[in-house]
Amino acid sequence: FLFCSSSQQIQFADQKQEFNKRPSKIGRRSLSRSISQSSTDSYSSAASYTDSSDDETSPREKQQKNSKGNGDFCIKNIKQADFGRREIEIAEQEMPALMALRKRAQGEKPLAGAKIVGCTHITAQTAVLMETLSALGAQCRWAACNIYSTQNEVAAALAEGGEAHVFAWKGESEDDFWWCIDRCVNVEGWQPNMILDDGGDLTHWIYKKYPSMFKKIKGIVEESVTGVHRLYQLSKAGKLCVPAMNVNDSVTKQKFDNLYCCRESILDGLKRTTDVMFGGKQVVVCGYGEVGKGCCAALKAMGSIVYVTEIDPICALQACMDGFRLVKLNEVIRQVDIVITCTGNKNVVVRENLDRMKNGCIVCNMGHSNTEIDVASLRTPELTWERVRSQVDHVIWPDGKRIVLLAEGRLLNLSCSTVPTFVLSITATTQALALIELYNAPEGRYKQDVYLLPKKMDEYVASLHLPTFDAHLTELTDEQAKYLGLNKNGPFKPNYYR
Amino acid sequence: FLFCSSSQQIQFADQKQEFNKRPSKIGRRSLSRSISQSSTDSYSSAASYTDSSDDETSPREKQQKNSKGNGDFCIKNIKQADFGRREIEIAEQEMPALMALRKRAQGEKPLAGAKIVGCTHITAQTAVLMETLSALGAQCRWAACNIYSTQNEVAAALAEGGEAHVFAWKGESEDDFWWCIDRCVNVEGWQPNMILDDGGDLTHWIYKKYPSMFKKIKGIVEESVTGVHRLYQLSKAGKLCVPAMNVNDSVTKQKFDNLYCCRESILDGLKRTTDVMFGGKQVVVCGYGEVGKGCCAALKAMGSIVYVTEIDPICALQACMDGFRLVKLNEVIRQVDIVITCTGNKNVVVRENLDRMKNGCIVCNMGHSNTEIDVASLRTPELTWERVRSQVDHVIWPDGKRIVLLAEGRLLNLSCSTVPTFVLSITATTQALALIELYNAPEGRYKQDVYLLPKKMDEYVASLHLPTFDAHLTELTDEQAKYLGLNKNGPFKPNYYR
Amino acid sequence: FLFCSSSQQIQFADQKQEFNKRPSKIGRRSLSRSISQSSTDSYSSAASYTDSSDDETSPREKQQKNSKGNGDFCIKNIKQADFGRREIEIAEQEMPALMALRKRAQGEKPLAGAKIVGCTHITAQTAVLMETLSALGAQCRWAACNIYSTQNEVAAALAEGGEAHVFAWKGESEDDFWWCIDRCVNVEGWQPNMILDDGGDLTHWIYKKYPSMFKKIKGIVEESVTGVHRLYQLSKAGKLCVPAMNVNDSVTKQKFDNLYCCRESILDGLKRTTDVMFGGKQVVVCGYGEVGKGCCAALKAMGSIVYVTEIDPICALQACMDGFRLVKLNEVIRQVDIVITCTGNKNVVVRENLDRMKNGCIVCNMGHSNTEIDVASLRTPELTWERVRSQVDHVIWPDGKRIVLLAEGRLLNLSCSTVPTFVLSITATTQALALIELYNAPEGRYKQDVYLLPKKMDEYVASLHLPTFDAHLTELTDEQAKYLGLNKNGPFKPNYYR
Amino acid sequence: FLFCSSSQQIQFADQKQEFNKRPSKIGRRSLSRSISQSSTDSYSSAASYTDSSDDETSPREKQQKNSKGNGDFCIKNIKQADFGRREIEIAEQEMPALMALRKRAQGEKPLAGAKIVGCTHITAQTAVLMETLSALGAQCRWAACNIYSTQNEVAAALAEGGEAHVFAWKGESEDDFWWCIDRCVNVEGWQPNMILDDGGDLTHWIYKKYPSMFKKIKGIVEESVTGVHRLYQLSKAGKLCVPAMNVNDSVTKQKFDNLYCCRESILDGLKRTTDVMFGGKQVVVCGYGEVGKGCCAALKAMGSIVYVTEIDPICALQACMDGFRLVKLNEVIRQVDIVITCTGNKNVVVRENLDRMKNGCIVCNMGHSNTEIDVASLRTPELTWERVRSQVDHVIWPDGKRIVLLAEGRLLNLSCSTVPTFVLSITATTQALALIELYNAPEGRYKQDVYLLPKKMDEYVASLHLPTFDAHLTELTDEQAKYLGLNKNGPFKPNYYR
């Protein structure tokens, strides 16, 4: 298998190492509700299913069988299946597009023959995705892309249902993690022909261990920033063996994950951690991209006075026109009550800034990773750290000044808020459509490259979510379509339109 | 003691009975952060102080002494004092007005000689109030106005500090409740001359048991809707023995507790319980008073489509001008995703409405009590209740339709959100000023009646909170003051100005 | 006639003198569309009816008769009647409440026998009011309260219709002004029994010239701030001979004239005069009452950065919670692009401030009179004034700096914007109801004092305007009304509720 | 000259014909303040310079000379020069970017040797552009792109200044129009090497009459939608002889001309024409692109209830998330008070819709041309048209219903509002930079094709406008630039970023 040279394996190993160091590698865009501390905490009736059960035997060592006698899975506790099923059913109600897809495709089975191996968070929402793929004709085997994010009861429900072979539990060890992935692909008499990945670890494993498997694989669908980045690097290096679909950058997904979702999660994340009152507070938001726009709009609406910093003059001018004073961080750092980073950059807030903040200032990160705030610079002997709540640290200066640091500088919206199911629904639908497209594409439509979802499918994902809002789309008349030079069914905009 | 006729005692007894039935009697306006389930849950480091300790001995049966040997208090566990002190210190940082009051009054001690008996929630915020009263010269004895709302660690810190004699713990029995109140007033060699009440239970107890005590009492400061209502009834019946100050209806407090606080807590309460995405959701808000205005503004800003119902044509016209369609509930009940009541009325949402709601509709109450949604009508055999999270019930119709009922129809903002310390600061400052005013008022200024806080003191409370926002007030010139016919130091508006 | 002592006459004479000096005495609340320069200019088809006709004969010297031979009126040109009728018809469409009043009262004629003498602006909107009063049974004689504000074509239509005897034209002299008023009251065989006044000049004239006329007068309805102020002075001095209704301070009117109307007219006034782009502009608004709140909300929504100055700490705190930085004028005067006064105070912007403004700064007044900006201080030799457009002056400093002064410091919303007919409809309906109430009130309900419109009628005015918005009011059930202690038909709020 | 075949000439002739029929061909993007009726009307002091002067001699027949004896221009009246100069000076104050460009380029003269022939609106703002080009070293000859849009006094000032040779006046005939263009290009001893066009007429004329002139021409800068469309057609047909720069589609320009500008002009346009109150009005906006987004945001902020129609599911979903109900036009047509089109499509509002509107409904167009509302369908015998103001028609149905049609369906923002100078500044700066780029580009950088402005120059235009807002851009550190893989000076985003 040509493309998998040893040098590449080294590269992957490096990335792996980096992964261990970077808890936030997963990126903004692929985290599910279950990861939120406060959210899972609040399932009061779930007491009997807690992970702190006495049973400390590793799932790998247990004999497991569902009620039908099937044992091709590895999860924490099959007895939680009923509870998990209820969670899935609740999720189904908020994922109308996938349910519509199930119905529309009932006859034709567009994924008949597809053998999908997946590596994502295992949550109620991804369960709806898996069972949809199943309903469309696919066989699925699934591992978790994060050692903490698996909802055990959902994994149980999936195992019990028998539609997807799941290998995942909450609190896997590093070794467990790769073992689970391996169990998904290394099966006698079954070989995957589609990959659904979130972070690139599954793709990496196959590249490394079973490169010949790519001969049968029709395509990769990748969800995360990190994974997409890896794919582009492979492609650039001429080592990508199959077509890959970058669903991270589809319009719908971008707007929902960034602008619309952050508009809500900035408020939610700050409230849950600090109970701060927004009215009258002075806030500086670093970065006026989609995330920054969402944060600024929400805080302005709640009565905060918002300042913006930017490096790009076009975004800066937008901030001005939207009514925000554009400043350098140092101009306002002494007076603000809250500092929010959303730049995608590193060291946006450094020790010098932190030294100048006023007592009680809240500092948090809504950007893409944990690099924006130089948290390391706060690990010095003269500063005292005090954990006052989960995800909330007071960093105390010698003179008594306290800075309120949230989530240790990691993503606030993932650590301290929840991602609405509706947003996850858009992502999951996009993934499903990307799989269908790649699986059914005629020979030659896609080469060994990374592709964006065709505009028309992006529009289709959007249209599947309109009924949620009882929204009624207008159709072009023949005459109008001709006038505009468009097909009546779209696409309605050029590919680059945002 | 003349005014306490037997008929009145019966009346109080009735009210007491009513109290037992009405868990929400406390009213919107007097709840502190500590009551929020999710908030207290999130103190991860507080594990060692949890109330589920093995020690099940009643505090009443324990010998208690603080480190100075003082034992005139009754709390859960004096060992929690350090943790409680930290909580109080954090609260102090967000209650600048009380701290300013401490400083300004350091020399003069305007409450020297005051013996205040109080009955409020025992939280970090009220602790700041108590210790402020103490610093101003008062002696304090305190009980809790709610059997669940006491923060045990705060009570411990107060007991350890020795400034306030506290008789309260979380999870009192009904009998404990009255025992604690009695321990506050029934002391040898000490008789209160001021009452600070929240709900009227303390006042009621003194009326019933120690009516002669009123001879020395200079005044009552009452905080809650319910308590104020009782005082007006007493006054109307000619049975009020001393002046009383209604701090519930001061301008500052009303705006903050209602408009500004609810603008934030409606979002917080809905998110913490349901993770719902606001964008695009259709919402009906019943009632367009201050609370309704706050809810509508917040949801509109988050991208919801909001409908309003009203009975008052003036508020209705305001809703129109603010951009909300004014409808009858039945016109939109089938299509909305969220129903919010803020009317102060009863049976605003009845079974007939609930029957017509669509699957997944969220129903909650932001109004004054638990009467707005006819929850009782949902306790019928054909409907199944399912508790899915703390404060969240699914009520399931025979056809599978689920309604998401929050806090069983009680106040969402108290049950599922938190009240910012800043709001509580305004209330506590108002209480302190009302105590000072009544205690120092010259003979004859106040009669045996219920009074609103003088406009000028309301303005003073506001001015004490402006530094929080680094806000700079403009002063009238002599010429301007003359032109406007105003004193340069206020009051600046007539009493009725809102 | 007892109450009209000579000392009082002197007082009135003084006021008269003051009137001559103060072109803006009329106050914000009583100006109609026709006064707007730009609005009247835009009637392109009205060319044939322009006031700059060659006919310079004074109306007082002309023989006038309408098509029915009636000549008891005095206007500019009866030939404009058709054009004026169309204007009235257009206004009728936007004044649904008066039209509804006409219909409802068709049978009963609640003003049968009423002889109303009025002194208001003569515009299409007041014409609708007059003809409504007529339809309700009243006889009307009318003069203008402002020498410039009469729409000649509307006066013509009224004269032609014969329902109201009008004595008014655009461009009256001082002498004409009082002559017209006198013609309204000094009629053989006719004596008024009701007064509708706007500014108090008519009331003053009767007090001065025909005091005995008050014996038959049942009441005065007064519209303007100035007129109400005069009435309160009379009342305080014990010289008010009849009941008077202050319609200026009704809730509905206040909110509409101030908050809702100014929210729109600040934008309109600035655009029409300066074409300024709002996005990104820094603006300081002096005063955060209802007018200030409206201005701030509008400009914030358009992307301006708004600062607020206040003297009242309660309004100041509201500004903070609404997201505006509270500053002293001097802190921002160098950096702002626009300065807006809405205080009701004098000398809010003084020469020292103007000296420090940056080049191109726009200065305007939305408050109650022309005193807020010290325009007189700009009439010094070293400053050059340049009129660049109607209502727009550049004041030029020796160094070339230009300040853009709008409407010479008079009210921007009256001089450079228009008042929507809908707002005038609310005012006119309130006036009509006040007249009906005073005329039909049983002996003794009203004494020789100044009254606010009863809350219930205020609510009625609001309810008459709801159909415009297709707004549907909810009705209380009997049970709910009882629970709230309210009458099902209102009033729903205490009198002081705002 | 190869590319100018006869078939092409026919094509151009057709286009010309079309031009005559389409008064709005110029597109949204190239109209200046002077065209607004209300704006020019309001220059009260301009009385002596009105175009309705008695002098009816055609400028073409007059001997013209400026004070320096130069006569190479043709305008209305050189005596207006002083007044025009003041207008230009006012515009200069609001066009800081061009003034900055003049300063920066003072030494180097990047347009030295450039001979620019231009065809745009002749307004104070374009005068600032012309004189900037001059200051940068260019020689300029200029004609008007619209027979009505020339500000005569500005043309006079330019002629007097001598920097630009202008051939234009307000009210040219068709023949005058082409004569003026010809006078610009057909000069002895002078041949243009750059074209700045707005609409494509100048380019067309040279193609048709002087094709050989293209040999010396380095490039075309085209401003309008129509002109750009023509260039793309030429390019597609292989007939474009020189590089062309499409400045219409630069990011900055698009956002400002559409989103930010329309957010203000929709309010301004509606107010100036109808004085309508926005609060509580129901409005349907057809199309949720940038223009629709601006209109919706503004009206929502003013308290209107806004419905949206869309054909594109992605924009539709955005409308939902922004809080607008997505409907088909027919669902709300009976209830709305205002209908606004912003689709770029044709026949969006047709007779059937108009028949169903309610009495008094306002109909207007903010889209790209006059096709969106089928105005022709209203020209039927049973409907009466009544011109009530300039730009305002009442169309009256047999039953008396009136529809208020604005600007006869042409663009509201151009006909009834003004374009702020700040927006024109962005456009003009972009044009200047495009000319500099094309003129100085090394051989081969641009081929015979249509180009977008390079991202970096777009960012440069934005950065030149930031000082207007006292906005301070943050600079990347070396370390950050490396981390992001960006040059510290930009471009900061990929070309397709919007």
Side-chain angles (χ1 to χ4, degrees), chain B residues 38-287:
Chain B
S38 37
S39 174
T40 43
D41 279 6
S42 59
Y43 282 91
S44 61
S45 65
S48 55
Y49 304 118
T50 53
D51 303 317
S52 59
S53 65
D54 295 338
D55 178 12
E56 291 302 338
T57 323
S58 163
R60 286 164 67 175
E61 294 167 22
K62 288 192 242 178
Q63 272 296 94
Q64 306 204 7
K65 273 214 162 39
N66 67 13
S67 65
K68 296 155 206 155
N70 189 327
D72 187 6
F73 59 85
C74 186
I75 60 160
K76 182 75 176 181
N77 183 357
I78 191 74
K79 290 183 195 152
Q80 299 178 3
D82 281 358
F83 178 57
R85 179 54 52 191
R86 200 185 62 190
E87 287 285 296
I88 293 171
E89 283 167 5
I90 292 175
E92 283 173 353
Q93 293 181 17
E94 300 177 62
M95 303 182 86
L98 285 181
M99 302 312 278
L101 219 53
R102 286 191 198 180
K103 255 185 220 158
R104 292 194 198 184
Q106 228 153 16
E108 31 174 330
K109 304 282 179 202
L111 290 175
K115 295 174 182 170
I116 304 174
V117 62
C119 181
T120 67
H121 303 285
I122 310 279
T123 63
Q125 289 84 13
T126 46
V128 179
L129 170 60
M130 282 184 232
E131 298 191 341
T132 300
L133 298 176
S134 214
L136 300 182
Q139 296 171 26
C140 299
R141 296 182 75 84
W142 229 264
C145 70
N146 180 291
I147 56 178
Y148 294 117
S149 66
T150 300
Q151 283 182 306
N152 282 337
E153 64 279 12
V154 167
L158 286 166
E160 175 59 31
E163 312 265 23
H165 303 272
V166 176
F167 303 83
W169 55 92
K170 187 172 181 176
E172 298 167 1
S173 71
E174 179 79 18
D175 190 60
D176 292 340
F177 179 78
W178 297 110
W179 179 88
C180 285
I181 286 180
D182 198 69
R183 284 290 308 272
C184 286
V185 292
N186 183 11
V187 202
E188 240 191 62
W190 192 92
Q191 212 174 306
N193 52 24
M194 296 294 298
I195 296 174
L196 179 62
D197 208 353
D198 185 339
D201 287 322
L202 169 59
T203 304
H204 165 61
W205 187 257
I206 300 178
Y207 258 101
K208 193 167 139 201
K209 293 284 187 181
Y210 313 102
S212 66
M213 217 173 254
F214 277 108
K215 284 172 194 156
K216 295 220 172 160
I217 286 175
K218 290 194 153 193
I220 301 166
V221 172
E222 170 60 52
E223 159 71 19
S224 75
V225 177
T226 310
V228 164
H229 186 65
R230 287 178 176 188
L231 288 171
Y232 279 115
Q233 284 184 320
L234 276 183
S235 168
K236 219 170 159 184
K239 290 171 187 165
L240 187 64
C241 321
V242 295
M245 199 71 96
N246 163 6
V247 297
N248 179 63
D249 287 308
S250 61
V251 181
T252 323
K253 184 165 183 312
Q254 283 284 335
K255 284 282 177 185
F256 275 82
D257 271 19
N258 296 346
L259 180 63
Y260 295 122
C261 192
C262 292
R263 183 176 66 181
E264 304 195 4
S265 59
I266 182 63
L267 302 182
D268 191 29
L270 285 169
K271 271 288 192 225
R272 291 199 203 212
T273 49
T274 67
D275 299 332
V276 67
M277 188 165 199
F278 301 124
K281 288 291 184 302
Q282 293 192 58
V283 184
V284 63
V285 174
C286 302

Side-chain angles (χ1 to χ4, degrees), chain C residues 117-368:
Chain C
V117 60
C119 180
T120 67
H121 302 284
I122 309 280
T123 63
Q125 289 85 12
T126 46
V128 178
L129 171 60
M130 283 184 228
E131 298 191 341
T132 300
L133 298 177
S134 213
L136 300 181
Q139 297 170 25
C140 298
R141 296 182 75 84
W142 228 264
C145 69
N146 180 293
I147 56 177
Y148 295 117
S149 67
T150 298
Q151 284 182 305
N152 283 336
E153 63 279 11
V154 167
L158 286 166
E160 175 60 32
E163 311 264 23
H165 302 275
V166 176
F167 301 84
W169 55 92
K170 187 172 180 176
E172 298 169 0
S173 70
E174 180 77 20
D175 188 62
D176 291 341
F177 178 79
W178 296 110
W179 179 88
C180 285
I181 286 181
D182 197 70
R183 283 289 309 271
C184 285
V185 292
N186 182 13
V187 202
E188 239 189 62
W190 193 89
Q191 213 175 306
N193 53 25
M194 296 294 298
I195 295 174
L196 179 62
D197 208 352
D198 184 339
D201 288 320
L202 169 60
T203 303
H204 165 61
W205 188 257
I206 299 178
Y207 258 101
K208 191 168 141 199
K209 293 283 188 180
Y210 312 101
S212 66
M213 218 173 251
F214 276 108
K215 286 173 194 158
K216 294 218 171 159
I217 286 175
K218 290 192 154 193
I220 302 166
V221 171
E222 170 60 53
E223 161 69 18
S224 75
V225 177
T226 310
V228 164
H229 186 65
R230 288 177 175 188
L231 288 172
Y232 278 115
Q233 283 184 318
L234 277 184
S235 169
K236 219 171 160 183
K239 292 171 187 164
L240 187 64
C241 320
V242 296
M245 200 72 97
N246 163 6
V247 297
N248 179 62
D249 287 308
S250 60
V251 182
T252 323
K253 185 165 181 314
Q254 283 284 334
K255 284 281 179 188
F256 275 83
D257 269 21
N258 296 346
L259 181 63
Y260 295 122
C261 190
C262 291
R263 184 176 66 182
E264 305 195 2
S265 58
I266 182 63
L267 303 182
D268 191 28
L270 285 170
K271 271 287 194 226
R272 290 199 203 211
T273 49
T274 67
D275 299 331
V276 68
M277 189 166 199
F278 300 124
K281 287 293 184 302
Q282 294 192 59
V283 184
V284 63
V285 174
C286 301
Y288 201 66
E290 295 294 314
V291 175
K293 286 180 174 80
C295 292
C296 288
L299 288 163
K300 185 184 182 184
M302 287 296 110
S304 299
I305 294 156
V306 183
Y307 304 92
V308 170
T309 74
E310 247 300 339
I311 59 160
D312 177 343
I314 292 178
C315 293
L317 204 49
Q318 292 176 340
C320 291
M321 299 309 295
D322 292 342
F324 302 106
R325 288 226 62 191
L326 194 86
V327 297
K328 294 192 186 192
L329 187 54
N330 259 335
E331 297 175 52
V332 295
I333 196 70
R334 281 190 192 283
Q335 76 196 64
V336 291
D337 301 288
I338 304 175
V339 177
I340 302 168
T341 57
C342 354
T343 66
N345 202 343
K346 68 186 281 191
N347 292 344
V348 173
V349 174
V350 295
R351 177 64 188 268
E352 186 202 333
N353 305 129
L354 291 153
D355 282 341
R356 300 180 68 211
M357 289 174 191
K358 74 180 183 190
N359 184 34
C361 186
I362 297 169
V363 187
C364 66
N365 172 29
M366 292 283 289
H368 81 163

Side-chain angles (χ1 to χ4, degrees), chain A residues 86 264 271 278-279 386, chain B residues 86 264 271 278-279 302 386:
Chain A
R86 199 185 63 191
E264 304 195 3
K271 271 286 194 226
F278 301 125
E386 196 174 300
Chain B
R86 200 185 62 190
E264 304 195 4
K271 271 288 192 225
F278 301 124
M302 287 296 111
E386 198 173 297

Side-chain angles (χ1 to χ4, degrees), chain C residues 86 264 271 278-279 386, chain D residues 86 263-264 271 278-279 386:
Chain C
R86 199 184 65 189
E264 305 195 2
K271 271 287 194 226
F278 300 124
E386 197 174 298
Chain D
R86 199 184 64 191
R263 182 177 67 181
E264 304 194 4
K271 271 288 193 226
F278 300 125
E386 197 174 299

Side-chain angles (χ1 to χ4, degrees), chain A residues 52-288:
Chain A
S52 58
S53 66
D54 295 337
D55 177 12
E56 290 304 336
T57 323
S58 164
R60 287 164 67 176
E61 294 166 22
K62 285 193 247 182
Q63 272 294 95
Q64 305 205 11
K65 272 212 162 41
N66 67 14
S67 64
K68 294 156 207 153
N70 188 328
D72 187 6
F73 60 86
C74 186
I75 60 159
K76 180 77 178 181
N77 183 358
I78 191 74
K79 290 184 195 151
Q80 299 178 2
D82 281 357
F83 178 58
R85 179 54 53 193
R86 199 185 63 191
E87 287 285 297
I88 294 171
E89 284 167 3
I90 292 176
E92 284 173 352
Q93 293 181 19
E94 302 176 63
M95 302 182 86
L98 285 181
M99 301 312 280
L101 220 54
R102 286 192 199 179
K103 254 185 222 157
R104 292 194 198 184
Q106 226 154 15
E108 32 175 327
K109 305 278 179 208
L111 291 175
K115 294 175 184 171
I116 304 173
V117 62
C119 181
T120 67
H121 302 284
I122 311 281
T123 63
Q125 289 84 14
T126 45
V128 179
L129 171 60
M130 284 184 228
E131 299 192 342
T132 300
L133 299 176
S134 213
L136 300 182
Q139 295 171 23
C140 299
R141 296 182 74 84
W142 227 263
C145 69
N146 179 294
I147 57 178
Y148 294 116
S149 68
T150 300
Q151 284 181 305
N152 282 336
E153 64 278 11
V154 167
L158 286 166
E160 175 59 32
E163 311 266 22
H165 302 274
V166 176
F167 302 84
W169 56 92
K170 186 172 181 175
E172 297 168 359
S173 70
E174 180 76 19
D175 190 62
D176 293 340
F177 179 80
W178 297 110
W179 179 88
C180 284
I181 286 179
D182 197 69
R183 283 287 309 270
C184 285
V185 292
N186 183 13
V187 202
E188 240 191 62
W190 192 91
Q191 213 176 305
N193 51 25
M194 297 293 297
I195 295 175
L196 179 62
D197 208 353
D198 184 340
D201 288 320
L202 169 60
T203 304
H204 164 60
W205 188 256
I206 300 177
Y207 259 101
K208 192 169 139 201
K209 294 283 186 182
Y210 313 101
S212 66
M213 215 173 254
F214 277 109
K215 286 172 195 157
K216 295 220 171 157
I217 285 177
K218 293 195 151 189
I220 301 167
V221 172
E222 171 60 52
E223 160 69 19
S224 75
V225 177
T226 310
V228 164
H229 186 66
R230 289 178 174 188
L231 289 171
Y232 280 115
Q233 284 185 319
L234 277 183
S235 168
K236 222 169 157 183
K239 292 172 185 162
L240 187 64
C241 322
V242 295
M245 198 73 93
N246 163 6
V247 297
N248 178 62
D249 286 309
S250 62
V251 181
T252 323
K253 185 163 181 316
Q254 283 285 335
K255 284 280 178 187
F256 275 82
D257 270 20
N258 295 346
L259 180 63
Y260 294 123
C261 192
C262 291
R263 184 177 64 180
E264 304 195 3
S265 59
I266 182 63
L267 302 183
D268 192 28
L270 285 170
K271 271 286 194 226
R272 292 199 203 211
T273 49
T274 67
D275 300 332
V276 69
M277 189 166 199
F278 301 125
K281 288 292 184 301
Q282 294 191 57
V283 185
V284 63
V285 174
C286 303
Y288 201 68

